[in-house]
Amino acid sequence: PIARFMRDETPEIDVEGALSCGKTTACLWKVWNSCNDHPGIRWWVGRYGDGDTSSKMRPAFEVICQQAGGGAVWNSKELAYDFDNGSRAYFYGLKSPDALSRYSKLRGMDVAGIYNDQTEELPEDIGLELRARIRQPGFPHQLIFSPNPPNVTHWLAKQFPEDNSKAGRVLYSISIHDNAHNLNPSTIAALIAAYPPEHAKHRSVILGKRGVNVNGTPVYAGHFVRGVHVGDTVYNRHAPLLVGIDFGKHHPCMVVGQQPFSGGLHLLGGILGQDLFLDDFLPIVQQTLARWFPEQPGGVQVCCDPAGSRENSIGTRFNGVDILRRFGYQPSWRDNANAPDVRAGTIEALAAHMRRRTASGEAFLVESDPERWQRVSIEGPVHEPFVVDALEAGYVWDEHMVSVGNKQIRKPKKDGWFEHGMNVMEYLELTYGADRPTREAGEAKRKKREAASTMGPRPLTGPMGWAG
C-alpha cells in the first residue's frame, strides 16, 4: 500500500496507519519527490500546532533531505525549505493564538500541495479551508492527510469513506506489518502482545483501520475481561426483556438485557444510531427486537435517559419520553441517573457483577454474536461491537474530577460515542438492579408529585412557605 500511495496522483489522499507503520516518512518522501521533480512548485507541510511541526516534522524532513543527498536549505525568514531548483516547502503550524484570526495562517497561502500530519487533531473547518489554498497554477495539485485512524464519527470518516466511493478521494489503511522490513521483529511482537486480535484497539493500533481511538484509563479496567465476559447468552422467554434507551445527540442507542435469576446483568444485543433522529431510530429498534425475540411472553420493560423527560431546551413540542410513548412504550427512569455520584455508584455495582460468578455462570455477560450488535445509519446497518469496545477501551475516566458534597468524584469522559452504550447499561442496572426503589418508595414519590401538582405556588412564609 505504501508503494501504491507513492505513485498515486489522486487529488485528495487520506493515509491512515497503525503505530510505527511509516506513514509520516512516506508522506514526507512524497513531498520531497514532488519538489524535486517539479521545479518551482510550492508545498505546505505541518501539523495543527507550531510546536509539533518544529520539533517533529522538520527533523524528520531534514533526515530525508540528507538521505536524498541534500538540495534543500532552511529559510528561517519564510519558515520554508528552499530547493536548488526553485521549489519551496513551507513548514509551520496552522493553529492561531487568537480566536478572532482563526484562519490567519491560511489566508494568503498559495501552494500546489498540502500535507497535514496527525489530521485527527485538525478541526473540520480548517480542513475545509485548506482545500481553497491549493491554487498555484501550472503544477499538479494534491492534498494529503495522515491521521491516526479516527472513530467513525470523525469528519475524516465522512469525507473519506472506507469503500472509496467519493470521486477524487482515496483512503489508504497501513498496518504495522506493511512496514515490517523497517522494524525490529521484537517491536511488532511487543505491540501485538499489548494489543492482541481480541483487543478493542487492535484494529487501529496494529491494522491501521478505523475503530477505538480513545486515550485514558478504561472505566472497567481490571474488571471486564473479553475472554470471560463475552459469550453466548440465553434468552429467557418467560422473563421480561429489559430495554434501555439513550436519546443521544443524533446518536440514539438501545441495549436490551435480562437479569439472571441468580442476579447480575446479561446484555443480549444493541443498536447504536449514527446521525439519526429518534423518530427514525425507534422503528428500527422495534423491527430488530421483533426479529431477535419473536416471542415475548414475559413482556418488555423500557427505561430511558431522564434527560428525555424534561421539556426540550429548543422549544420543540415533544421530548424524548413523548416520542417513546408515541411508539407504544411506557418508559421509566430515575431522575438522578446522570448525577455524578449516582453514576459512580452504578459503575461500582456493574463492576461487582463482573467480579462475580454464580451457579449458572457469569453474573455479567455480553452476547458474542456479532449480528446482535449493530451501528445503523441512513446507509444501512453494519456490525459494530460498540459495547464490548467501550467496556474494554473506549469508555474512559475523565482527567478532571467533579465535586459532590465537597468530595471529589471521578466521572467518565463524555466522548459523544462510546458513552451512549455505557449510559444505557447504567440505566438498566439503576432501574432494574438491586438499587431500584422499593414499591413503597415509588408510591410515596408518586403521592408527593401529585400533592405538589395540586398545591399551587408555595407562599414565601408560613408552615408551607419557602422561608418557613
Side-chain angles (χ1 to χ4, degrees):
I2 294 177
R4 293 198 303 272
F5 159 70
M6 295 298 292
R7 296 189 294 267
D8 197 328
E9 298 179 356
T10 304
E12 297 185 13
I13 302 179
D14 180 14
V15 185
E16 300 178 3
L19 294 179
S20 301
C21 73
K23 64 181 184 296
T24 301
T25 302
C27 292
L28 290 174
W29 266 111
K30 194 172 179 72
V31 171
W32 191 94
N33 288 339
S34 177
C35 289
N36 184 68
D37 296 341
H38 301 92
I41 196 172
R42 292 191 295 269
W43 277 78
W44 173 86
V45 179
R47 293 187 179 180
Y48 185 43
D50 274 313
D52 287 338
T53 301
S54 298
S55 63
K56 295 181 174 63
M57 300 297 289
R58 280 189 53 201
F61 190 69
E62 288 174 359
V63 169
I64 287 174
C65 291
Q66 293 172 5
Q67 293 174 347
V73 178
W74 176 247
N75 183 335
S76 59
K77 182 179 179 180
E78 297 292 337
L79 299 178
Y81 287 95
D82 290 334
F83 284 72
D84 296 339
N85 62 3
S87 297
R88 172 175 285 180
Y90 296 96
F91 275 72
Y92 56 84
L94 296 175
K95 188 174 183 179
S96 173
D98 184 2
L100 296 177
S101 55
R102 181 174 177 82
Y103 304 110
S104 61
K105 292 189 175 183
L106 289 88
R107 301 285 163 81
M109 185 187 294
D110 187 8
V111 295
I114 286 178
Y115 166 44
N116 174 245
D117 189 37
Q118 300 290 105
T119 313
E120 73 276 7
E121 302 173 353
L122 194 70
E124 182 176 9
D125 63 313
I126 301 292
L128 292 173
E129 186 80 10
L130 283 176
R131 291 175 166 91
R133 307 299 122 196
I134 302 177
R135 58 193 182 189
Q136 184 185 10
F139 296 95
H141 292 177
Q142 193 164 58
L143 172 67
I144 302 174
F145 293 136
S146 66
N148 291 313
N151 294 329
V152 296
T153 57
H154 197 276
W155 60 268
L156 279 169
K158 300 176 182 178
Q159 294 185 12
F160 294 86
E162 291 182 313
D163 60 0
N164 285 325
S165 58
K166 292 197 174 184
R169 297 178 181 175
V170 64
L171 168 68
Y172 285 89
S173 297
I174 313 296
S175 81
I176 191 174
H177 303 291
D178 296 320
N179 195 37
H181 54 288
N182 289 321
L183 299 173
N184 191 308
S186 62
T187 300
I188 298 178
L191 280 171
I192 293 178
Y195 301 97
E198 63 272 13
H199 195 282
K201 286 192 173 183
H202 181 83
R203 280 179 55 84
S204 59
V205 175
I206 303 299
L207 302 181
K209 296 182 181 295
R210 289 168 181 164
V212 180
N213 191 16
V214 179
N215 295 320
T217 303
V219 169
Y220 294 102
H223 304 285
F224 178 79
V225 180
R226 183 188 290 256
V228 174
H229 297 116
V230 178
D232 297 330
T233 59
V234 177
Y235 167 49
N236 182 354
R237 58 192 297 271
H238 298 292
L241 278 173
L242 308 179
V243 177
I245 301 287
D246 184 46
F247 303 113
K249 293 182 178 179
H250 300 302
H251 299 312
C253 183
M254 181 280 292
V255 175
V256 57
Q258 282 192 315
Q259 289 177 307
F261 289 118
S262 52
L265 181 64
H266 287 183
L267 304 181
L268 310 184
I271 307 172
L272 180 60
Q274 182 178 354
D275 297 323
L276 290 179
F277 290 104
L278 190 60
D279 279 293
D280 301 319
F281 180 70
L282 288 178
I284 299 173
V285 169
Q286 291 180 323
Q287 295 168 12
T288 304
L289 288 177
R291 185 174 72 254
W292 287 349
F293 313 105
E295 297 182 7
Q296 302 171 1
V300 177
Q301 298 181 22
V302 178
C303 66
C304 68
D305 182 353
S309 65
R310 304 182 182 95
E311 291 185 3
N312 197 300
S313 60
I314 61 175
T316 56
R317 181 174 182 179
F318 296 108
N319 57 30
V321 168
D322 292 327
I323 297 174
L324 285 176
R325 287 172 177 162
R326 185 156 25 102
F327 279 87
Y329 295 117
Q330 297 299 320
S332 57
W333 62 89
R334 293 285 295 273
D335 288 332
N336 60 351
N338 292 326
D341 54 336
V342 175
R343 173 155 285 147
T346 308
I347 289 172
E348 290 283 352
L350 288 164
H353 292 330
M354 297 175 192
R355 298 192 299 268
R356 189 165 64 90
R357 179 172 294 170
T358 69
S360 59
E362 297 297 326
F364 182 85
L365 196 62
V366 181
E367 175 57 50
S368 59
D369 184 356
E371 296 283 346
R372 289 282 185 88
W373 301 99
Q374 300 180 358
R375 169 169 52 90
V376 179
S377 66
I378 59 174
E379 298 175 354
V382 295
H383 304 316
E384 183 82 21
F386 61 92
V387 162
V388 173
D389 286 350
L391 286 166
E392 188 171 58
Y395 195 47
V396 299
W397 291 114
D398 197 311
E399 58 185 1
H400 303 293
M401 303 183 78
V402 61
S403 179
V404 178
N406 295 324
K407 293 183 179 180
Q408 294 295 308
I409 294 179
R410 289 193 300 178
K411 63 175 182 177
K413 182 179 292 185
K414 289 286 188 181
D415 69 303
W417 188 252
F418 293 109
E419 66 181 90
H420 298 304
M422 296 294 93
N423 289 167
V424 175
M425 185 176 69
E426 292 157 7
Y427 300 148
L428 289 171
E429 174 62 24
L430 192 60
T431 305
Y432 305 112
D435 188 49
R436 67 180 183 272
T438 62
R439 181 177 299 177
E440 292 77 10
E443 183 66 18
K445 188 173 183 179
R446 184 186 64 79
K447 291 181 178 179
K448 183 177 180 180
R449 283 178 175 173
E450 290 179 352
S453 64
T454 57
M455 284 175 58
R458 292 174 61 183
L460 180 64
T461 58
M464 298 296 293
W466 290 107

